[in-house]
């Protein structure tokens, strides 16, 4: 891929809108669907099925740990980045080969869940769920790498937008869709249908073209130093090959990131860790808040879920357009400021009470800003990677992005009980303030609109 994208402001609105006609941008819609489908099937939908069948809560709680595969995927991302799969890599290329393998594993695991009764063989259901979770995380690694490598930087926002659109539609299918099928027939047909829907990702992977990437001079020099070092050692045969692979696949991505940013790398990782922390922190308590306030389950489903999904997708599409028009950095600062401001609408809603217009306003503000932030931030994270190490570096960034918020979210119930809902959302907004300061710092030290992306050409 040649990363000679125009600078921010060089695109007019017509050119910016045309990005959504790019075949690879369209293809990302279906890959996003494939990525989003397994998430709830080993998460919320999975636990609903187990409880519906009378499985003990303790067992359900332990089985929820399978979802942690997405938070630790950085540990096997180097394998996805560098290991060639027999036959598949030669036939389909590095990224598509891993996508196809992961998609096949997910489809097999979901079919296995569909054919297994957890009341009789809970251990086997757990095995299938773990297999599906690791297949899902591996697919994420490969799709993220493909998304970054397939288009130029100015199109990354649009790729993120269509990915989010497909991802959210898949969540709807795996959540409400699976529950409706289970209600009408049974859980076996529900999971069998979801296994069949993985064909969307498989067919898309077969259709798309493998991205073409190069290694820049600085990266070649870094890897040449590894070769020179090994030539000076006594390692020979398989020991030399294993050492070379480990340094290139595991040490290389982190050494490259540190070499490019120096001590600034710490600030970059802190920014990544704090950018989404406000939304992740408050998101866990959203549904309990709506219920405590007095909204009915139907109002929550119609406004917060269905209408909220539409607003998120609108924000994501708008984010891709604005990144194309104005560049990544200006939009990143804008969304960093917008996130805590929109969180305050829920504090206002807590004071207002169960008024439907208040809920609609809060959902519009929060979900549009959230959709904007998702597409802009994905574009920013993509700009930080070197195409020689795309999968490993992006897996690191995405893990850093989610882990702090997920950890702090465990204390949200205690905080809400202690201070009440109004102050809870004020606190949720306040923890987003460091991200604004760090975004301003990133404009000076890690601005993707000024610095050429590494590993291109």
């Amino acid at each position: 891929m040649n990363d000679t994208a125009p600078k921010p402001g060089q695109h007019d609105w017509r050119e910016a809108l045309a990005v959504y006609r790019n075949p690879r941008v369209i293809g990302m819609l279906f890959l996003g669907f494939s990525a989003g489908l397994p998430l709830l099937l080993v998460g919320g939908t999975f636990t609903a099925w187990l409880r519906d069948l009378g499985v003990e809560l303790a067992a359900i709680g332990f089985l929820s740990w399978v979802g942690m595969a997405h938070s630790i995927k950085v540990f096997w991302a180097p394998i996805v980045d560098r290991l060639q799969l027999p036959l598949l890599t030669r036939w389909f290329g590095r990224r598509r080969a891993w996508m196809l393998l992961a998609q096949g594993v997910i489809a097999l695991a979901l079919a296995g869940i569909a054919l297994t009764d957890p009341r009789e063989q809970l251990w086997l259901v757990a095995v299938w769920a773990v297999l599906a979770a690791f297949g899902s995380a591996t697919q994420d690694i490969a799709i993220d790498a493909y998304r970054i490598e397939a288009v130029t930087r100015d199109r990354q926002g649009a790729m993120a937008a269509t990915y989010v659109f497909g991802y959210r539609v898949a969540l709807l299918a795996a959540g409400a869709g699976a529950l409706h099928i289970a209600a009408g027939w049974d859980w076996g047909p529900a999971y069998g249908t979801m296994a069949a829907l993985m064909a969307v990702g498989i067919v898309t992977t077969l259709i798309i073209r493998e991205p073409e990437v190069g290694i820049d001079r600085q990266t070649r020099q870094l890897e040449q130093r590894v070769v020179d070092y090994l030539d000076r050692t006594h390692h020979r045969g398989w020991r030399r090959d294993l050492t070379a692979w480990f340094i290139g696949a595991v040490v290389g991505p982190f050494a490259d990131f540190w070499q490019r940013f120096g001590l600034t790398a710490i600030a970059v990782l802190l920014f990544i860790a704090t950018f989404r922390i406000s939304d992740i922190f408050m998101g866990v308590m959203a549904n309990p808040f709506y219920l405590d306030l007095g909204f009915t389950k139907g109002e929550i489903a119609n406004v917060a879920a269905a209408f909220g999904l539409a607003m998120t997708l609108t924000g994501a599409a708008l984010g891709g357009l604005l990144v194309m028009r104005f560049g990544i950095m200006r939009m990143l600062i804008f969304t960093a400021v917008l996130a805590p401001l929109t969180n305050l609408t829920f504090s206002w809603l807590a004071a207002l009470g169960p008024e439907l217009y208040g809920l609609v306003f809060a959902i519009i503000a929060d979900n549009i800003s959230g959709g904007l932030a998702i597409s802009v931030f994905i574009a920013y994270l993509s700009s930080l990677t070197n195409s020689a190490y795309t999968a490993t570096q992006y897996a690191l960034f995405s893990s850093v992005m989610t882990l702090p918020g997920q950890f702090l979210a465990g204390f949200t119930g205690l905080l809400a009980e202690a201070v009440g809902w109004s102050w809870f959302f004020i606190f949720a907004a306040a923890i987003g303030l460091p991200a604004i300061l760090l975004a301003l710092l990133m404009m000076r030290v890690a601005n993707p609109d000024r610095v050429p992306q590494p590993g291109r050409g």
Side-chain angles (χ1 to χ4, degrees):
M1 186 187 74
N2 180 22
D3 193 42
T4 56
K7 294 180 180 179
Q10 290 185 350
H11 293 291
D12 60 26
W13 287 107
R14 183 179 298 178
E15 290 174 321
L17 284 168
V19 70
Y20 287 110
R21 296 201 298 268
N22 184 292
R24 287 188 166 178
V25 173
I26 295 171
M28 190 51 59
L29 173 71
F30 301 101
L31 290 179
F33 181 88
S34 182
L37 194 68
L39 190 65
L40 288 181
L41 298 176
V42 292
T45 301
F46 185 55
T47 55
W49 173 31
L50 296 178
R51 190 56 182 163
D52 188 44
L53 294 179
V55 176
E56 293 181 358
L57 288 175
I60 294 173
F62 289 130
L63 284 171
S64 71
W65 283 348
V66 302
M68 290 181 65
H70 288 269
S71 295
I72 60 173
K73 61 187 178 183
V74 66
F75 292 111
W76 68 93
I79 297 174
V80 179
D81 231 351
R82 289 300 180 99
L83 184 65
Q84 294 192 359
L85 297 172
L87 298 180
L88 286 178
T89 301
R90 186 170 27 151
W91 292 342
F92 301 107
R94 180 171 54 153
R95 301 310 182 198
R96 294 166 68 213
W98 277 102
M99 282 188 221
L100 285 170
L101 175 64
Q103 289 159 351
V105 167
I106 296 166
L108 174 67
L110 294 180
I113 293 175
L115 297 173
T116 307
D117 188 343
R119 290 168 295 192
E120 298 179 1
Q121 294 178 298
L122 185 60
W123 68 271
L124 184 56
V125 171
V127 170
W128 288 124
V130 169
L131 193 63
F134 277 88
S136 176
T138 303
Q139 180 187 219
D140 283 357
I141 295 168
I143 288 178
D144 285 336
Y146 167 84
R147 174 178 48 74
I148 295 166
E149 296 170 354
V151 299
T152 52
R153 181 184 295 165
D154 59 333
R155 291 185 172 92
Q156 287 297 330
M159 291 285 273
T162 52
Y163 174 84
V164 170
F165 191 100
Y167 198 95
R168 295 285 177 158
V169 171
L171 292 181
L172 196 61
L179 289 171
H180 281 302
I181 295 172
W185 288 275
D186 200 356
W187 285 102
Y191 270 79
T193 302
M194 297 301 117
L197 283 177
M198 283 304 300
V200 171
I202 294 172
V203 171
T204 303
T205 304
L206 292 172
I207 292 173
I208 60 176
R209 291 185 296 111
E210 181 77 4
E212 297 177 4
V213 297
I215 299 178
D216 65 1
R217 183 172 57 85
Q218 190 176 29
T219 306
R220 286 195 188 96
Q221 290 173 347
L222 178 66
E223 298 202 344
Q224 185 60 44
R225 288 201 292 271
V226 175
V227 175
D228 295 341
Y229 162 75
L230 291 172
D231 286 340
R232 294 192 299 269
T233 68
H234 299 292
H235 295 311
R236 292 293 181 269
W238 68 268
R239 289 181 61 192
R240 186 185 190 283
D241 294 340
L242 181 62
T243 304
W245 182 88
F246 180 82
I247 294 175
V250 180
V251 178
F254 300 100
D256 166 79
F257 180 63
W258 190 265
Q259 179 177 281
R260 285 189 286 124
F261 291 99
L263 289 175
T264 304
I266 298 173
V268 172
L269 292 176
L270 281 173
F271 174 60
I272 294 171
T274 57
F275 184 80
R276 296 288 294 155
I277 197 168
S278 180
D279 284 341
I280 295 173
F281 186 84
M282 65 149 281
V284 176
M285 287 292 113
N287 282 336
F289 165 64
Y290 301 144
L291 291 169
D292 281 1
L293 208 58
F295 290 108
T296 67
K297 295 183 180 66
E299 288 171 334
I300 296 170
N302 292 333
V303 178
F307 181 68
L309 173 63
M311 292 300 98
T312 300
L313 298 180
T314 299
L318 186 60
L321 175 65
L322 293 175
V323 165
M324 189 75 174
R325 180 67 178 85
F326 298 111
I328 296 173
M329 203 64 232
R330 281 187 282 181
M331 293 308 305
L332 195 67
I333 293 172
F334 174 68
T335 51
V337 172
L338 203 59
L341 286 178
T342 54
N343 284 349
L344 292 176
T345 61
F346 289 93
S347 183
W348 165 75
L349 180 61
L352 179 68
E355 297 288 346
L356 198 58
Y357 75 88
L359 178 61
V360 169
F361 178 80
I363 292 298
I364 290 173
D366 185 63
N367 287 42
I368 286 183
S369 71
L372 272 168
I374 290 169
S375 58
V376 172
F377 198 50
I378 288 176
Y380 179 71
L381 296 183
S382 303
S383 75
L384 297 176
T385 64
N386 183 330
S387 65
Y389 314 111
T390 312
T392 303
Q393 289 182 346
Y394 193 87
L396 167 67
F397 299 150
S398 60
S399 295
V400 170
M401 175 182 68
T402 57
L403 277 176
Q406 288 176 340
F407 173 76
L408 289 177
F411 303 99
T412 53
L414 294 174
L415 180 64
E417 288 179 350
V419 301
W421 287 117
S422 289
W423 279 104
F424 170 79
F425 289 111
I426 291 172
F427 185 83
I431 64 173
L433 296 178
I436 300 173
L437 299 176
L438 287 167
L440 294 171
L441 177 62
M442 293 304 103
M443 174 170 272
R444 296 176 59 86
V445 300
N447 188 335
D449 297 327
R450 294 177 184 170
V451 182
Q453 192 167 359
R456 297 294 186 256

